[in-house]
Amino acid sequence: MTDVGGRHSSPEGPFPPRGDLGFGVPRYEPSRYEVPPYVTGGFGAVGRDTADTSRPAPRVLDRYDDQTGPLVEPDWWSYGSSDHPDHPLSARHSGGWDDDADLPSSHPSAPLPPRPAGVWDKLHARQDADGDDDRTVAQPLLPGSPLDTAAHREQTSGPVGGSHSSDDEDDDRHDDAATDAHLLDDSSWEDRTGGLEVIGAHVEEEPRGRRGRRGRRSGRHEAAGVDPADLDEDSLVHDEESGEVIPVKPYDRRTGRGRRRRNPVAIVLSLLVLAGLVVGIVLGGQKLIELVNPMAKDYTGQGSGDISIRVQDGDTLSDIGRTLVDADVIASVGPFVDAAEENAASVGIQPGVYSMRLQMSGRAALEQLLDPAARLLSRVTLPEGLTVERTLARIAEETGRPIEEFQAAAADTASLGLPAYANGQLEGFLFPATYDVEPDTTATDLLSQMVARGTEVLAGLGIPEADRLTVVTKASLVQAEAGSVEDMGKVARVLENRIADGMALQLDTTVNYANGKGGITTTPEDRANPSPYNTYLYPGLPPGAINNPGEDALRAVLAPTPGDWRFFVVVDPDTGDTRFAATKAEHDANVELFRQWLRENPEG
């Protein structure tokens, strides 16, 4: 083992060591300090006693024979710090001049003063240590197990401290000089990399025998399950990218590996599993939507069965939808409302009873409600001027119900909401209009609607309740006698003038009502009926209405046409031509015109 201090000593001269760094003391070379022969005479040596005559006096250029060899280190040098109490900073830096002499206080060849105090000077040796640690000596980690490495591009071919390569390696490999470094263990080198990850540490090196193009090709064929000996020229193809010859089958250029043949049964099973997953996702999604938003649930198709539902007056689309849900016609309101909002005709849905089917889609239910044939009702139109008896017959005929149902309901006037001013008489208070009679509408319900409608019209015209029976009675006479709406005001004026004069009204319509007849003529026997409705016998108005007048007749009574007429007669019933007269003579002439029409129309 070579001495480290001897190999690496500087030729420029020794430097005093700082502390015990493990370096040797520089050699003493006497030749460096011998006086050259050409130096002669001079002054005495500085600091030397001149009385010393043991040697000749030096000349001017003589070099003093002082001790310039290795000096003994001062005591303060080994402390390595300027903070020692016995050796203050001035002691370490005594390179100045003494106060009593103009000479330096230290020898010129003395060691250089230490560096200024720094961070490292603050560090002291451990107090608990017995002494200095042994000097570091490079030793082999595993003696006798050198690590050989191939030379590459003029780099060291062997490890530091290892043996050189064997002679059978390549010619360009060479050995470096062996040094006393630790040998590395081939199996534990990764653990001594200082925590750094070494690039390529996990890459397995390919065996030397498999390197090269032929080795890679052989390995690739083996990976593909192909014996290279079985390949012929037809099964090979030249790869332009790598410049290699590779097998056509089963090699796949996209993946660089052999393709496996798939089992058809496995493919079919995979497709079945995939289809099941898709169906499950769809059904599960529908169930999830129904749970999150129940309003989105909907049936499919046109439904089946038969059920009747009622749409109330004033129902909104949502109200109708809830009615359909309650009857299980649709699954939820949402799809029905969505379909209705897309169809402008949905605002035309009328109140009534509709024939529907069970479990219909929202759109199908909307289309059914918009179909007029689906509405289950009988629409009854009652014209003005019909009596109660004829009104009941008309309703029974239009609805297909027995007339007895309506006659029994008409007899119970208290259940119909008849007002007290009607004096228990239903005549005149079944207001003429068009009514929808639904399957579940009772006779009482229908007649009550007619009474309520008449009361509403009277109140709308501003007629006081005390006058309503009189107004209705006059309006029934005007409705029966006038041939047109234009003549109603004149007929109402005739009634007012005759009543004002105290004259009998002498109206054939009242006589026929008393006799239960129709028409516009009467016989002497008819006019002999003592009924209070016989206006030939009793002056003034009859006790009540003789029919159910309309709104036009009521308005005519409230505002009669101004005039002095006392008489009127219809001269042509076919056209409704009515003649009004103020005197009896004018009236007789008009009556003759009516008789002429009777002669021409004997059937009346």
Side-chain angles (χ1 to χ4, degrees):
M1 181 177 295
T2 306
D3 189 290
V4 175
R7 289 188 62 183
H8 299 284
S9 60
S10 174
E12 299 297 331
F15 292 92
R18 187 174 186 179
D20 189 3
L21 301 179
F23 299 101
V25 180
R27 294 179 305 177
Y28 175 70
E29 298 177 1
S31 60
R32 298 178 56 187
Y33 303 98
E34 294 178 357
V35 179
Y38 51 83
V39 178
T40 60
F43 300 98
V46 179
R48 177 176 294 188
D49 189 0
T50 55
D52 187 3
T53 60
S54 61
R55 55 185 301 179
R59 290 168 290 182
V60 176
L61 299 179
D62 286 344
R63 295 181 64 181
Y64 296 106
D65 186 13
D66 53 4
Q67 296 179 358
T68 58
L71 301 178
V72 180
E73 296 179 355
D75 294 338
W76 54 265
W77 185 271
S78 60
Y79 287 100
S81 173
S82 61
D83 298 335
H84 197 278
D86 296 334
H87 302 279
L89 184 62
S90 60
R92 296 186 61 182
H93 295 278
S94 58
W97 300 89
D98 292 339
D99 296 336
D100 298 335
D102 295 334
L103 299 176
S105 61
S106 61
H107 197 277
S109 299
L112 295 176
R115 296 180 181 178
V119 177
W120 294 102
D121 295 332
K122 302 298 182 178
L123 301 179
H124 299 279
R126 294 178 56 183
Q127 302 299 325
D128 58 349
D130 296 337
D132 294 335
D133 293 338
D134 294 337
R135 297 183 178 181
T136 302
V137 179
Q139 296 292 339
L141 183 62
L142 292 179
S145 59
L147 177 63
D148 295 335
T149 306
H152 181 64
R153 295 184 181 179
E154 300 182 0
Q155 296 180 2
T156 302
S157 61
V160 178
S163 63
H164 64 82
S165 304
S166 61
D167 296 336
D168 54 357
E169 297 295 334
D170 297 337
D171 295 337
D172 56 352
R173 302 179 57 185
H174 58 278
D175 298 333
D176 287 343
T179 58
D180 296 331
H182 296 290
L183 297 180
L184 301 179
D185 187 4
D186 198 10
S187 61
S188 60
W189 69 276
E190 292 178 350
D191 297 336
R192 297 190 299 276
T193 57
L196 299 178
E197 182 177 356
V198 180
I199 300 176
H202 303 284
V203 178
E204 296 182 359
E205 184 176 1
E206 185 180 2
R208 298 179 183 273
R210 296 294 299 275
R211 294 179 179 175
R213 178 179 303 176
R214 183 174 301 175
R216 290 193 299 271
R217 184 189 309 161
S218 176
R220 190 176 299 156
H221 293 168
E222 292 178 2
V226 179
D227 188 0
D230 296 337
L231 298 176
D232 53 9
E233 294 299 331
D234 296 334
S235 62
L236 300 176
V237 67
H238 182 73
D239 190 352
E240 293 82 357
E241 296 180 359
S242 62
E244 299 179 2
V245 178
I246 56 177
V248 177
K249 295 181 180 180
Y251 180 76
D252 189 353
R253 296 183 63 178
R254 295 173 299 176
T255 61
R257 64 181 66 180
R259 292 177 294 181
R260 295 181 297 175
R261 301 181 63 183
R262 297 182 180 178
N263 191 346
V265 177
I267 296 176
V268 173
L269 291 177
S270 300
L271 293 177
L272 291 177
V273 171
L274 180 60
L277 289 175
V278 172
V279 173
I281 291 173
V282 172
L283 296 179
Q286 292 178 351
K287 294 296 183 182
L288 181 60
I289 292 175
E290 293 176 3
L291 292 176
V292 175
N293 185 15
M295 300 297 292
K297 185 179 179 181
D298 194 12
Y299 292 127
T300 58
Q302 298 296 322
S304 60
D306 187 17
I307 188 173
S308 298
I309 63 101
R310 172 184 286 276
V311 176
Q312 301 289 348
D313 189 13
D315 280 354
T316 63
L317 291 174
S318 298
D319 295 334
I320 298 173
R322 283 188 285 270
T323 301
L324 296 176
V325 170
D326 294 341
D328 197 25
V329 175
I330 60 176
S332 61
V333 178
F336 172 79
V337 173
D338 293 341
E341 290 177 350
E342 296 175 359
N343 192 337
S346 60
V347 298
I349 299 177
Q350 297 297 323
V353 177
Y354 292 83
S355 176
M356 306 294 291
R357 293 181 292 274
L358 295 173
Q359 297 184 356
M360 306 175 68
S361 67
R363 188 172 299 277
L366 176 65
E367 294 175 354
Q368 183 76 359
L369 290 175
L370 295 177
D371 186 1
R375 189 175 183 187
L376 301 178
L377 56 81
S378 299
R379 180 163 292 179
V380 179
T381 299
L382 300 175
E384 295 85 348
L386 294 179
T387 62
V388 171
E389 183 180 358
R390 293 181 62 187
T391 298
L392 298 180
R394 183 73 174 263
I395 294 174
E397 180 182 359
E398 295 293 338
T399 61
R401 299 183 185 182
I403 190 174
E404 290 79 11
E405 293 182 8
F406 297 100
Q407 289 175 347
D412 187 6
T413 56
S415 63
L416 301 179
L418 188 67
Y421 54 79
N423 294 331
Q425 300 179 17
L426 189 57
E427 195 73 73
F429 293 97
L430 296 177
F431 192 81
T434 299
Y435 297 92
D436 292 336
V437 182
E438 299 170 354
D440 57 348
T441 302
T442 64
T444 301
D445 293 338
L446 178 59
L447 297 180
S448 298
Q449 292 181 28
M450 298 175 71
V451 171
R453 180 69 178 276
T455 303
E456 181 181 353
V457 171
L458 293 175
L461 293 175
I463 303 173
E465 291 187 1
D467 299 336
R468 288 180 183 178
L469 178 58
T470 300
V471 173
V472 170
T473 300
K474 290 180 178 181
S476 66
L477 299 178
V478 171
Q479 190 73 59
E481 295 290 341
S484 63
V485 176
E486 291 78 6
D487 292 338
M488 287 183 177
K490 294 181 178 180
V491 172
R493 175 54 62 186
V494 171
L495 297 180
E496 294 294 334
N497 290 339
R498 292 177 76 95
I499 292 174
D501 294 344
M503 298 174 56
L505 297 180
Q506 296 180 347
L507 300 175
D508 291 338
T509 54
T510 61
V511 173
N512 290 332
Y513 180 81
N515 293 315
K517 294 174 55 177
I520 60 175
T521 61
T522 59
T523 63
E525 291 79 11
D526 296 335
R527 291 192 293 269
N529 190 334
S531 171
Y533 286 89
N534 188 348
T535 56
Y536 278 90
L537 296 177
Y538 304 99
L541 295 173
I546 62 174
N547 58 44
N548 295 289
E551 188 172 352
D552 292 335
L554 293 172
R555 293 182 180 276
V557 171
L558 295 176
T561 303
D564 56 353
W565 308 292
R566 300 296 192 273
F567 306 92
F568 65 91
V569 62
V570 179
V571 298
D572 189 350
D574 293 337
T575 60
D577 185 9
T578 300
R579 302 295 176 87
F580 294 87
T583 62
K584 181 69 170 65
E586 294 175 349
H587 177 63
D588 291 341
N590 294 330
V591 170
E592 186 60 31
L593 295 175
F594 173 64
R595 292 173 179 173
Q596 180 64 32
W597 181 88
L598 289 175
R599 288 191 293 267
E600 294 176 356
N601 299 279
E603 293 85 7

